[in-house]
Amino acid sequence: MASSSSTYRSSSSSDGGNPSDSAVTVDERKRKRMLSNRESARRSRMRKQKHVDDLTAQINQLSSDNRQILTSLTVTSELYMKIQAENSVLTAQMAELSTRLESLNEIVDLVTTTNGGIDQIDGCGFDDRTAGINSDGYYDDVMMSGVNHWGGSVYTNQPIMANDINMY
């Protein structure tokens, strides 16, 4: 740098001007330019630091959001698995109850079609008029609990529906 300023001074002194004034002017410009460059570099460093700080804050925020999403996903997955297991149990219970209902309805249909017109107490061929009569010809009170005095069962043969069965 010193060589360029000395060259510049020697050329300006050949113009006939005062060499010390031109050297002061050149040195003053050089000093101002150096100060301006320093200030510009300081502003650039400050911008860069602000950008780095902003990016760090954004990383922290995104990391926090990511943790919250992962926690929510874990809770949702656990709830899904719990509901899926409960659904499997309910599906198995429904299949079992449907099979039972189908079997019971088949039994009711079988008893109804093979009845032959006999009044029955429980679908097993017992005549209501003779059921509950003891050897003396009187009704037995123990047997009368399910028999109507007018000839017919108090218990009707109706299909059992799945929602009528106590599941507990």
Side-chain angles (χ1 to χ4, degrees):
M1 283 191 158
S3 64
S4 65
S5 66
S6 63
T7 308
Y8 188 71
R9 270 189 240 148
S10 62
S11 65
S12 63
S13 62
S14 63
D15 291 340
N18 188 356
S20 64
D21 285 343
S22 66
V24 170
T25 308
V26 171
D27 286 340
E28 184 65 27
R29 282 188 209 158
K30 194 175 184 184
R31 188 181 66 74
K32 284 182 180 179
R33 191 170 39 248
M34 195 166 50
L35 287 175
S36 175
N37 287 344
R38 283 182 186 164
E39 184 62 27
S40 177
R42 186 183 67 77
R43 286 192 308 264
S44 177
R45 284 191 303 271
M46 288 178 64
R47 278 193 311 269
K48 184 178 179 182
Q49 185 61 43
K50 183 180 181 313
H51 185 65
V52 168
D53 291 344
D54 290 345
L55 289 176
T56 303
Q58 187 177 8
I59 287 170
N60 292 336
Q61 180 63 39
L62 291 174
S63 295
S64 174
D65 291 348
N66 194 23
R67 280 191 301 276
Q68 287 178 342
I69 290 170
L70 287 174
T71 301
S72 176
L73 179 64
T74 302
V75 168
T76 303
S77 295
E78 289 172 359
L79 182 62
Y80 172 76
M81 289 172 45
K82 180 182 174 186
I83 289 173
Q84 190 176 22
E86 186 177 338
N87 189 28
S88 296
V89 169
L90 290 174
T91 301
Q93 286 177 345
M94 183 185 74
E96 180 183 345
L97 290 174
S98 294
T99 303
R100 282 186 185 178
L101 178 62
E102 188 176 318
S103 297
L104 289 172
N105 281 333
E106 287 175 5
I107 291 170
V108 167
D109 288 344
L110 180 68
V111 168
T112 304
T113 57
T114 59
N115 185 2
I118 300 173
D119 292 330
Q120 299 176 357
I121 293 175
D122 59 2
C124 295
F126 296 113
D127 188 348
D128 284 347
R129 291 177 296 255
T130 60
I133 299 177
N134 61 19
S135 61
D136 298 331
Y138 295 103
Y139 282 103
D140 189 358
D141 289 334
V142 174
M143 292 297 292
M144 286 307 297
S145 62
V147 177
N148 180 334
H149 292 291
W150 295 279
S153 175
V154 175
Y155 309 108
T156 58
N157 289 330
Q158 295 181 354
I160 299 173
M161 302 305 291
N163 60 359
D164 291 339
I165 297 173
N166 188 358
M167 293 176 39
Y168 301 103

